[in-house]
Amino acid sequence: MAKRKKESLKSSKNKLLFVMVLFALVWTTLLGRAAWLQLYKGADLSRLALRQHLAAELERGERGDIFDRNGNMLATSVDASSLYIRPVKVTDVSGTTAKLSKILGISKANLRKKLSKKSNFIWIKRQLDDRTARKIKKADLPGVYLTTEFVRLYPNNHLAGQLLGFAGIDGKGLEGLEKEFNDRLAGRKAQFVVQRDASGRRLYLDELGREMDIRGKDVHLTIDSHLQSVTENALVDSIKKYNAKWGTAIVVEVATGDILALANCPRFNPNIFRTSSPKTWRNRAAIDVVEPGSTMKPFLIAAALKHGVITPEKLIDCENGRWKLNGNYIKDTHKYGWLPAHKVLRYSSNIGSAKIGLELGVQNYHKFLTDIGFGSKTGLPLPGDRVGSIRPAAQWNEIDLAAGAFGQGIGITALQMAKAYLCLANKGVAKPLRLVQLPREEEEEAPKRIFSADVAEKVLSMMREVVQEDGTGTRSRISGTTVAGKTGTAQKAVKGGYGDQYLASFVGMVPGYNPEYLVVVMVDGPQPNHYGGVVAAPVVKTVMTETLAYYGKLPEKQNSVPVMSASLTSNSEMPKKAVRANSAQTSVSSETVPNVKGMPIRRAVEIMVKRGFIPKLKGQGMTIIKQVPEAGEKWPEEENAEIVLWLS
């Protein structure tokens, strides 16, 4: 018994020893393995881990968007895949060349040449379509990589094309606001690497390893997309009707100086800028310097009133339409004799204006023009914003002064003209024009009084006569309200004198007593009729009528006027779908869904939101063409019910 017990104890000790030895071997093996991995293979394994979590990718952040004053998108970016290679990592040049050539349709010789270079990076093709990108990814070729870039998209096509400008394939702004605000809009690059988390999501890091946002910042404009479309349509109609070369139009809110619309024609689609010429890209409102003609006369009258040279009733001999000054003839379109100063403006007499200018004097007139902003940049953030052309006062002679009195020999831009008339509309106080809501200007131009409110009211009274009496601007009248305006028909200069081409223009303000909106229109080279009162005044009337209707300020007895859709098509003409957003459309029971078809998107959304529903928008454009639920149906009872509005 004792012997058996002794043998059992010995057996247990042997088993325990065996287990201890086994564990010692296992731990020794594990420690040895760990030491081998850490000390011998550590560097290689660390690089492998980094390949899973850190990648030196070619990546640029998304470019910021551009919006109008109501949050409607004017410019945005969409994802696109681009293809590049690292030739030093290509293992099979011939095989890779053959596969890429077949997928991309690029010659093998060209690809082989690129693949054979001792380089770490070469672009092969930018901004691939999705189908091609999928094929490249499926091929899984060593040394061949896809990266995400962003393609600039202008959802409204031609709308405000010259104003917005465009960005190139590298996402750099090349023209217009895209160029001016490129530093703000442009997406940034991650400084060193792109880190991925366990799920493979990208984390962009700065040089200190902190996560960073590489998306560009947005820009918000004062432009109203709906009024921009209205203005462009009206301008296009006039240019087509009178076979003109180009035109520009500006709509300004007087109280704020906000530019609500800035139109140029011929129009330009920045989505396909490569198919257009630089001539079409021009933002003529800021870049083109023109002799304005008679639209300068209200400033002559204001200066003369300010200096006590005239009163509204002072009689001036207009020489029966023909007057010789220092061997040069000044002519009027009609034969006027003696006219009071207010009728000199009403009938736009060049002779009467020249005589007022001569009596005012060069120094007084020149200083007034420069004080009001001519000869200086407008201060707007627009590439190519011009100073115009006003020679120093010392270089003017009598003929220069007489011609300058009716807008010849002076070079201005349409935006300078808008800024000068804004001073008049603000009763003699010069204020800056505004085009951008965000980012805000750090130092905004301070308002400055140029002439008295009394002088301003006298000039506005004369401008009301131009439209409301038997003046040259009667075609801009709007039933039920008063319009103040001034026509311009400027003979264009040619080498050695003036030729047979004209710039037709009109500036209108509504209401005529206390202006709320200001519209400037210029049309270059109209034929056969070239008078501003015929060519440009109807454009101003249309735009002012639509603006008043849009803001609910059109007098009730005024017939409803169709409002042009802001949706644009791929051809050169914008659609002209009428938007009759009158009270008859919305006078429905509060228990049923109203008819919002034909309304501007802004108004339709407001109606839905007031009922507690946020509608889902489909399509592109600014006008509602279809709705679900249909008009007359009962409002959905569910709080999360879907309201869908289709745009055009």
Side-chain angles (χ1 to χ4, degrees):
M1 186 71 179
K3 185 179 179 181
R4 193 176 302 163
K5 186 176 181 180
K6 188 176 181 180
E7 289 177 355
S8 176
L9 183 61
K10 185 178 180 181
S11 176
S12 297
K13 288 181 178 180
N14 290 335
K15 290 179 180 179
L16 181 60
L17 181 61
F18 175 77
V19 170
M20 290 175 65
V21 171
L22 181 62
F23 269 95
L25 290 173
V26 170
W27 278 107
T28 301
T29 303
L30 290 175
L31 290 172
R33 177 65 174 173
W36 183 75
L37 290 174
Q38 289 289 330
L39 300 176
Y40 183 71
K41 296 291 289 183
D44 292 337
L45 293 175
S46 179
R47 282 193 293 270
L48 290 174
L50 285 173
R51 289 181 60 185
Q52 292 180 351
H53 296 283
L54 295 176
E57 296 184 5
L58 178 71
E59 193 80 24
R60 178 179 286 277
E62 181 180 357
R63 191 171 177 84
D65 296 332
I66 301 177
F67 297 94
D68 79 347
R69 67 189 297 114
N70 302 313
N72 297 308
M73 189 173 288
L74 299 175
T76 188
S77 299
V78 294
D79 292 358
S81 295
S82 292
L83 176 66
Y84 67 96
I85 60 171
R86 298 190 188 279
V88 294
K89 293 190 176 183
V90 175
T91 56
D92 181 5
V93 173
S94 297
T96 302
T97 298
K99 290 180 180 179
L100 286 181
S101 176
K102 184 177 180 181
I103 295 172
L104 300 174
I106 299 176
S107 71
K108 291 183 179 180
N110 187 23
L111 280 171
R112 187 176 291 106
K113 184 178 179 181
K114 291 182 177 181
L115 288 166
S116 300
K117 290 182 178 180
K118 300 299 181 183
S119 174
N120 195 43
F121 179 91
I122 297 176
W123 280 116
I124 296 297
K125 195 167 184 179
R126 309 284 291 275
Q127 299 175 2
L128 304 170
D129 59 76
D130 291 344
R131 186 178 179 182
T132 303
R134 284 196 297 270
K135 289 181 179 179
I136 295 292
K137 191 173 183 180
K138 187 177 179 181
D140 193 22
L141 302 170
V144 176
Y145 304 91
L146 289 172
T147 186
T148 299
E149 290 193 297
F150 295 96
V151 180
R152 204 59 169 161
L153 177 67
Y154 304 89
N156 297 300
N157 296 327
H158 301 87
L159 192 72
Q162 288 93 342
L163 175 62
L164 295 173
F166 53 87
I169 195 169
D170 289 309
K172 182 180 179 180
L174 301 178
E175 287 290 338
L177 293 173
E178 293 277 25
K179 179 179 180 180
E180 187 70 18
F181 287 95
N182 186 67
D183 289 344
R184 178 181 176 86
L185 291 166
R188 293 174 293 166
K189 288 183 179 179
Q191 293 296 316
F192 290 109
V193 295
V194 178
Q195 184 170 352
R196 299 177 184 273
D197 61 16
S199 301
R201 294 171 300 192
R202 294 170 179 171
L203 302 173
Y204 299 102
L205 307 178
D206 64 11
E207 65 274 14
L208 299 178
R210 298 170 300 191
E211 190 173 352
M212 62 183 291
D213 180 10
I214 64 172
R215 186 186 186 278
K217 296 181 180 179
D218 298 334
V219 171
H220 293 256
L221 307 181
T222 62
I223 295 295
D224 187 298
S225 295
H226 180 68
L227 294 181
Q228 178 73 24
S229 175
V230 164
T231 306
E232 288 186 6
N233 285 332
L235 188 62
V236 166
D237 288 344
S238 181
I239 287 176
K240 288 185 64 179
K241 182 176 180 179
Y242 294 103
N243 303 305
K245 297 176 181 177
W246 59 265
T248 188
I250 305 164
V251 183
V252 181
E253 185 180 60
V254 171
T256 60
D258 285 358
I259 297 175
L260 302 178
L262 197 161
N264 289 280
C265 186
R267 281 179 295 202
F268 159 65
N269 186 347
N271 288 310
I272 49 173
F273 68 88
R274 292 181 183 84
T275 65
S276 302
S277 68
K279 188 176 180 181
T280 310
W281 305 343
R282 291 174 68 88
N283 182 0
R284 294 184 180 275
I287 296 175
D288 281 23
V289 176
V290 298
E291 292 187 9
S294 296
T295 50
M296 289 294 285
K297 290 174 182 175
F299 306 116
L300 169 76
I301 297 295
L305 288 169
K306 175 180 178 179
H307 290 281
V309 172
I310 61 168
T311 65
E313 299 301 328
K314 180 176 180 177
L315 291 174
I316 299 167
D317 183 6
C318 295
E319 306 285 349
N320 289 314
R322 185 179 174 90
W323 183 48
K324 190 175 183 179
L325 176 66
N326 295 340
N328 296 275
Y329 283 98
I330 297 174
K331 301 176 184 178
D332 283 338
T333 55
H334 295 82
K335 295 181 179 180
Y336 300 114
W338 288 87
L339 289 177
H342 68 92
K343 287 191 176 181
V344 168
L345 189 66
R346 182 197 296 186
Y347 301 136
S348 200
S349 168
N350 289 340
I351 295 171
S353 298
K355 289 189 173 184
I356 293 173
L358 292 172
E359 195 168 348
L360 176 64
V362 171
Q363 294 296 335
N364 288 336
Y365 186 43
H366 189 279
K367 185 176 187 306
F368 188 90
L369 293 181
T370 54
D371 284 349
I372 209 168
F374 295 115
S376 302
K377 292 185 177 183
T378 62
L380 292 169
L382 293 170
D385 184 23
R386 302 283 292 278
V387 299
S389 176
I390 297 182
R391 288 175 297 141
Q395 297 180 12
W396 288 36
N397 57 33
E398 269 197 324
I399 293 297
D400 294 329
L401 178 55
F406 52 85
Q408 283 190 347
I410 295 173
I412 60 98
T413 67
L415 282 168
Q416 286 178 324
M417 184 64 77
K419 186 177 180 181
Y421 271 96
L422 180 62
C423 176
L424 185 58
N426 276 300
K427 304 302 173 68
V429 177
K431 292 182 178 180
L433 292 170
R434 285 207 326 146
L435 182 60
V436 179
Q437 289 183 330
L438 188 71
R440 296 185 180 278
E441 288 284 340
E442 293 182 3
E443 294 184 9
E444 195 170 85
E445 179 184 337
K448 177 184 177 184
R449 179 164 290 283
I450 306 299
F451 49 93
S452 69
D454 179 62
V455 167
E457 179 47 45
K458 287 176 180 176
V459 176
L460 283 171
S461 176
M462 297 180 195
M463 291 177 65
R464 290 193 293 269
E465 292 180 30
V466 171
V467 178
Q468 304 302 141
E469 301 294 335
D470 58 339
T472 57
T474 57
R475 297 187 187 216
S476 66
R477 290 176 183 168
I478 299 175
S479 177
T481 190
T482 305
V483 176
K486 185 65 192 81
T487 55
T489 307
Q491 194 174 8
K492 294 180 67 176
V494 294
K495 190 175 182 179
Y498 287 87
D500 58 357
Q501 289 287 308
Y502 294 83
L503 179 81
S505 59
F506 189 82
V507 181
M509 291 180 280
V510 66
Y513 285 92
N514 292 295
E516 295 181 29
Y517 304 102
L518 159 68
V519 182
V520 177
V521 171
M522 293 181 177
V523 179
D524 182 60
Q527 297 177 5
N529 200 313
H530 56 257
Y531 292 105
V534 177
V535 176
V539 179
V540 173
K541 175 183 178 178
T542 299
V543 173
M544 288 193 302
T545 302
E546 302 289 5
T547 302
L548 291 173
Y550 181 62
Y551 287 112
K553 299 178 181 180
L554 192 66
E556 289 185 7
K557 65 179 181 180
Q558 169 70 36
N559 294 329
S560 176
V561 180
V563 178
M564 307 304 180
S565 165
S567 171
L568 303 174
T569 58
S570 59
N571 55 35
S572 62
E573 283 304 306
M574 299 171 104
K576 300 179 181 178
K577 297 180 180 178
V579 178
R580 302 186 182 275
N582 52 38
S583 59
Q585 281 186 299
T586 56
S587 59
V588 295
S589 168
S590 60
E591 299 299 320
T592 59
V593 178
N595 180 15
V596 298
K597 286 187 285 189
M599 284 188 184
I601 181 175
R602 178 184 178 187
R603 186 172 179 186
V605 170
E606 284 177 354
I607 291 172
M608 298 300 176
V609 170
K610 284 180 180 179
R611 287 292 305 189
F613 297 97
I614 299 177
K616 183 177 181 180
L617 304 178
K618 292 188 176 183
Q620 298 176 357
M622 305 300 300
T623 306
I624 308 302
I625 59 171
K626 182 181 175 182
Q627 66 180 88
V628 172
E630 290 287 345
E633 294 184 16
K634 287 188 176 182
W635 286 101
E637 296 182 0
E638 304 84 5
E639 291 185 2
N640 59 348
E642 189 175 72
I643 303 281
V644 184
L645 303 177
W646 280 264
L647 310 178
S648 175

